[in-house]
Amino acid sequence: MTLDTASKSRSRIPNFFKLSIRDRIDALRAHTELTEDDLLALEHGTHTLRCHVADKMIENVVGVFGLPLGLGLNFLIDGREVIVPLSVEEPSIVAGLSGAARTARLSGGFSTEVSDPILIGQVQVVNLTDVDSARQALLDSEREIVSLANSLHPKMVARGGGAQGIEVFHHRVPEGGQEGAPERDMLVLHLLVDTREAMGANIVNSMCESVASLIERIAGGRVFLRILSNLTDRAIVRAHVRIPVANLTMKGYSGKDVRDGIVLANDLALVDPYRATTHNKGIMNGVDAIAIATGNDFRAIEAAAHAYAARSGRYRALTRWYKEENGHLKGEIEIPVKVGTVGGSLETNPSVRLNHRLLGNPSATQLAGIFGAVGLAQNYAALRSLSTAGIQQNHMTLHARSVASTAKVPEELFDEVVDALIESGEIKVWNAQEIVSRIQKKTNAVQSADTEPRSSASGKVILLGEHAVVYGRSALAAPIPLAVESRVVDAEDGVHLVIPRWGVEQRVPTLDEHPAGAAGILALLLQRLDLTNRSMTIEVFPNVPRAVGLGGSAALAVSVIRALDVHFAIGLNDKRINDFAFDCERAAHGTPSGVDNTVATYSKPILFRGPSQSGKSSFEDLTIAKPLPLVIAMTGNESLTAKTVARVRQAWQCNKALYERVFDQIDELTLAGAEAARDGSLDDLGELMNLCQGFLNALQVSTREIEEIVEVARRHGAVGAKLTGGGGGGSVVALCPDGPEQVVSAVEAMGYEALAFEASGSNVP
Ligand code: MEV
């Protein structure tokens, strides 16, 4: 079989580590042969082993066990681009492999030689009267033994595999392994079997069983053990890499230093078993990770590797690194790798099948070559690290980079924050965020005289009625206090927009220049407010993330309009601020319902009525009996409002009567919810939110993460929990009359971010 994905599966995806999981999965579409079903399964987490299947694999099953699945990028192996699936819990391995492969590809990548996939079966023969003639008789009967073994496996023979030959060894062993005890003779016959695409344990074991009585007849003794050998030294992979010194240079080290350091480190592992064990353990970090991801028996591969490392009688490194005459660094690994691409857990575990597709469905021989290249790449990464800054430092840097990435540290502050995280010794997401805000505070202090007060606007959370509101029904929305703050300060030259938290610092062009995004909206606003000829810096401080369905863009618009109003003393009332903000929302999103700008402006709970036939929407203030203790849990995925609204519209167009009835039912829940909020009946409101989530699920705008959070929030005391906003990602809102703590910690324990606040606005009497 050939890997016909050579050109398609481009293994370089720059900045992959900085993407969200969803975006990484998206990127795989262009880089691999994964199907749309595979990508969906990854996105929804349904690619993993199911419990009822696991129950058929081993005994006493109570669940399945998770491990991270990461991708080793940049691999060029025998001229083929390969993305390597890696399942492992230890940080830095995936990054180390990807970095090593990136360096290797600059000089042609890895090349491999793989022997035929031969597995050895052992048949032990005891109680022999004449050992030497028994041995000779067996050797003379090679053809008969091989034919009998193959006669029972015609399919393997048809595929070009099957038993190929035998070897016979004589051992003399003191009984019980005790020195001085009487010695006994035994023969062990090796049946050499080419198992082609299968790992081959079953077939070899059954061949050994089937030739047992023939062997007894020929040798005249008694056959005892019949089992494969895991010392698979007939299935050997050799991988090589050549790296010019110019490609080895790193911060503070010349290429020559790095090359000589790697050679010196390797030399120790060639003579010292203590170092060799750690050295080879590192190699197996990569090899085991791909073995697990591809459903291969990593214990067998481990056992073979270590036994092979001791084949000279002294345990030593599996790799060799040396300086070539031209000064290049040359690395080689020789390692037994007996793997399969069919059979066993490969068929039952859906992740395994997916990972083989991700690799481009290599043959067993090609897969073994990839294992070899991965082992060599891992060893390069470890030795490079150990002989320079040290593994601990590298672990820490990688960990700090990943934490900074999770904390969404803006690009231009990234390196500064990574350094500060390492220096502080507290590599945590909260610390990264604190460092960002410290740096930003410092920058802001320099940037503005700090005399202007900040103008704020609320975000919004929809408690009931999303989607139905698009069809003229009601939505119940509450404010999230201080979601965005802004201020305007004088400047010399033109209009500048600064959003430190998002790393935005740009000049705002005029409308004639047709600016896009936030700058375009600002340009529109400045024109509407007759401020195009003024110079200023608009500073924005968002306290809620972007695009998570919490009304961040409307809050941004309202807070900026207010800041402009304060700075230029325009005298806008709330109605005009709301109208301007609605225009901004229209420019940003096309057809907004108007809920977001209304809540952002008035900062009160409202009962909003979506656009009627004539296109008019309206709202009424909702006076609530007591504040609503809410928790917002963020899935970490952008809310796909435009997509989900379009999906619901398509379904509605196909079956209007049915969907109108669903919207009516949601409307009924929303109106009842408004009553419950007015009366302060939080249990009733919660129940209505739960029912509403059922309808939203029926509209297919919920996701696995949303359902998971909803379930956990309810289990930890929320009386109601549902998605809020467009869905397809975004956030969940939970009503927690008994306090938010339990829900917040349960949600955070699942790895999501949570925000607790009381929604009241000015409408609590
Ligand atoms: C850690 O898991 C692996 C290393 O110890 C390997 C080595 O020392 O070569 C870094």
Side-chain angles (χ1 to χ4, degrees):
M1 188 195 290
T2 55
L3 269 184
D4 55 3
T5 55
S7 54
K8 269 191 183 169
S9 140
R10 295 178 301 277
S11 65
R12 255 193 82 47
I13 315 180
N15 285 325
F16 192 67
F17 84 99
K18 282 192 185 164
L19 302 180
S20 66
I21 293 178
R22 184 192 269 170
D23 289 345
R24 287 184 199 137
I25 294 170
D26 231 26
L28 294 182
R29 183 170 285 115
H31 288 263
T32 66
E33 296 246 300
L34 289 183
T35 62
E36 284 305 312
D37 282 351
D38 289 333
L39 299 171
L40 257 180
L42 276 173
E43 191 173 326
H44 296 289
T46 50
H47 62 292
T48 51
L49 183 63
R50 303 283 108 189
C51 219
H52 67 276
V53 181
D55 197 25
K56 296 193 180 69
M57 292 172 76
I58 64 163
E59 308 73 38
N60 299 350
V61 166
V62 292
V64 290
F65 183 83
L67 266 183
L69 173 64
L71 300 184
L73 300 182
N74 307 322
F75 275 90
L76 186 61
I77 304 173
D78 298 325
R80 282 192 301 268
E81 298 275 347
V82 185
I83 292 183
V84 182
L86 299 158
S87 211
V88 64
E89 85 299 342
E90 186 176 321
S92 310
I93 292 173
V94 176
L97 283 169
S98 303
R102 202 169 73 191
T103 304
R105 71 183 284 129
L106 295 174
S107 47
F110 299 90
S111 54
T112 69
E113 293 141 33
V114 186
S115 67
D116 280 341
I118 303 285
L119 188 61
I120 298 170
Q122 291 194 295
V123 183
Q124 180 190 21
V125 196
V126 294
N127 300 350
L128 294 158
T129 41
D130 180 350
V131 182
D132 289 335
S133 14
R135 179 167 179 272
Q136 196 51 52
L138 287 170
L139 288 172
D140 293 343
S141 310
E142 176 171 16
R143 287 183 64 155
E144 198 186 344
I145 297 168
V146 165
S147 315
L148 177 63
N150 283 337
S151 67
L152 299 168
H153 297 279
K155 281 196 190 143
M156 181 56 82
V157 176
R159 284 197 289 266
Q164 311 282 308
I166 65 164
E167 288 168 343
V168 186
F169 300 94
H170 174 197
H171 298 297
R172 251 182 109 65
V173 207
E175 235 179 280
Q178 269 171 339
E179 231 178 285
E183 292 195 328
R184 63 179 160 202
D185 289 295
M186 58 183 81
L187 288 179
V188 60
L189 178 139
H190 283 187
L191 191 60
L192 309 181
V193 187
D194 182 335
T195 64
R196 298 282 92 198
E197 290 306 305
M199 190 276 167
N202 288 337
I203 197 169
V204 167
N205 288 342
S206 85
M207 279 184 175
C208 290
E209 303 269 352
S210 64
V211 295
S213 36
L214 174 63
I215 287 172
E216 279 180 347
R217 192 152 46 74
I218 298 167
R222 183 166 75 91
V223 162
F224 197 58
L225 293 189
R226 288 146 283 175
I227 182 82
L228 87 161
S229 167
N230 283 122
L231 177 48
T232 52
D233 61 1
R234 303 306 166 90
I236 293 293
V237 175
R238 290 184 188 85
H240 317 255
V241 68
R242 173 173 289 117
I243 309 178
V245 276
N247 299 346
L248 291 167
T249 315
M250 57 188 280
K251 215 171 159 186
Y253 298 87
S254 72
K256 278 190 182 147
D257 288 344
V258 176
R259 177 198 62 202
D260 297 343
I262 289 175
V263 172
L264 187 58
N266 191 80
D267 283 350
L268 177 61
L270 289 173
V271 292
D272 175 4
Y274 288 91
R275 172 58 206 152
T277 306
T278 324
H279 179 102
N280 290 342
K281 184 272 179 185
I283 292 171
M284 301 315 284
N285 276 345
V287 173
D288 284 349
I290 179 174
I292 294 171
T294 55
N296 278 290
D297 181 347
F298 63 94
R299 285 96 48 217
I301 296 169
E302 276 274 342
H306 296 294
Y308 195 69
R311 67 192 179 285
S312 67
R314 188 173 179 83
Y315 186 89
R316 47 182 291 176
L318 288 161
T319 50
R320 204 160 78 85
W321 291 93
Y322 56 93
K323 180 174 111 177
E324 286 188 325
E325 267 174 20
N326 53 14
H328 295 344
L329 174 69
K330 180 82 195 283
E332 294 167 357
I333 188 169
E334 186 175 315
I335 183 171
V337 179
K338 185 71 192 81
V339 288
T341 61
V342 295
S345 85
L346 276 78
E347 311 300 336
T348 36
N349 190 331
S351 306
V352 166
R353 289 265 54 106
L354 187 147
N355 289 337
H356 279 261
R357 285 192 287 279
L358 198 133
L359 281 161
N361 285 319
S363 67
T365 311
Q366 287 169 326
L367 186 59
I370 296 171
F371 275 52
V374 165
L376 185 58
Q378 200 295 331
N379 187 235
Y380 166 81
L383 297 189
R384 173 180 178 269
S385 218
L386 286 169
S387 53
T388 55
I391 216 88
Q392 230 28 44
Q393 177 69 21
N394 278 335
H395 272 329
M396 217 131 69
T397 308
L398 279 171
H399 183 47
R401 288 178 75 78
S402 130
V403 165
S405 186
T406 311
K408 303 216 164 37
V409 171
E411 186 81 29
E412 78 290 350
L413 302 183
F414 204 84
D415 289 340
E416 194 179 343
V417 173
V418 168
D419 288 346
L421 276 173
I422 295 170
E423 206 167 299
S424 73
E426 191 80 68
I427 306 180
K428 298 272 162 48
V429 172
W430 62 260
N431 197 21
Q433 284 159 344
E434 275 187 8
I435 293 168
V436 169
S437 71
R438 265 205 311 276
I439 299 172
Q440 285 169 344
K441 263 198 202 124
K442 243 197 261 162
T443 321
N444 294 339
V446 174
Q447 274 172 352
S448 77
D450 224 352
T451 47
E452 292 277 348
R454 291 182 183 185
S455 302
S456 68
S458 298
K460 70 98 204 346
V461 53
I462 295 190
L463 296 176
L464 290 163
E466 47 276 273
H467 287 288
V469 71
V470 178
Y471 299 83
R473 301 337 192 259
S474 318
L476 179 58
I480 304 172
L482 292 181
V484 182
E485 297 170 286
S486 301
R487 75 176 152 214
V488 174
V489 293
D490 288 328
E492 294 282 292
D493 170 28
V495 182
H496 303 271
L497 171 66
V498 180
I499 312 180
R501 186 155 295 172
W502 296 348
V504 173
E505 198 169 338
Q506 65 179 110
R507 189 182 69 81
V508 178
T510 63
L511 261 191
D512 310 336
E513 296 172 60
H514 305 292
I521 294 166
L522 271 183
L524 174 78
L525 199 55
L526 293 171
Q527 197 193 49
R528 303 286 302 274
L529 295 172
D530 217 7
L531 294 171
T532 33
N533 295 325
R534 311 296 287 263
S535 286
M536 68 189 96
T537 297
I538 302 169
E539 297 176 355
V540 180
F541 309 93
N543 300 315
V544 292
R546 269 183 281 199
V548 290
L550 300 178
S553 69
L556 189 147
V558 169
S559 78
V560 169
I561 298 166
R562 286 216 167 106
L564 291 167
D565 181 48
V566 170
H567 189 77
F568 295 107
I570 307 173
L572 297 174
N573 62 18
D574 278 352
K575 162 96 180 55
R576 291 199 60 209
I577 291 174
N578 195 20
D579 288 346
F580 280 131
F582 185 63
D583 288 348
C584 293
E585 283 284 274
R586 223 178 0 214
H589 307 304
T591 50
S593 68
V595 181
D596 289 16
N597 49 284
T598 306
V599 179
T601 307
Y602 294 98
S603 200
K604 300 172 187 174
I606 59 167
L607 185 60
F608 188 89
R609 192 88 199 160
S612 61
Q613 299 283 16
S614 65
K616 277 238 162 301
S617 52
S618 58
F619 74 94
E620 61 181 271
D621 288 2
L622 189 73
T623 303
I624 59 177
K626 49 181 157 181
L628 306 174
L630 297 174
V631 171
I632 305 268
M634 288 163 244
T635 60
N637 295 327
E638 270 185 29
S639 167
L640 303 177
T641 307
K643 259 195 190 165
T644 54
V645 167
R647 181 181 326 137
V648 173
R649 182 164 298 278
Q650 203 180 19
W652 171 78
Q653 265 155 355
C654 294
N655 208 333
K656 283 193 181 161
L658 190 70
Y659 277 81
E660 285 293 330
R661 279 204 297 280
V662 173
F663 299 144
D664 280 340
Q665 305 237 32
I666 295 179
D667 195 40
E668 217 174 288
L669 298 178
T670 307
L671 297 175
E675 269 321 298
R678 272 190 197 106
D679 298 347
S681 316
L682 300 194
D683 285 352
D684 292 348
L685 179 56
E687 179 78 20
L688 292 160
M689 287 166 67
N690 289 335
L691 288 170
C692 188
Q693 173 63 17
F695 282 114
L696 291 165
N697 193 328
L699 292 177
Q700 297 174 49
V701 296
S702 190
T703 64
R704 185 177 59 87
E705 285 95 344
I706 290 172
E707 294 299 328
E708 193 175 68
I709 296 173
V710 160
E711 207 257 323
V712 165
R714 288 179 191 157
R715 228 175 335 111
H716 287 80
V719 292
K722 60 180 273 296
L723 71 84
T724 178
S731 308
V732 165
V733 57
L735 181 61
C736 309
D738 295 334
E741 296 79 14
Q742 282 207 24
V743 173
V744 169
S745 47
V747 165
E748 286 180 347
M750 292 161 76
Y752 299 109
E753 275 182 58
L755 175 82
F757 63 97
E758 290 211 326
S760 56
S762 45
N763 281 352
V764 182

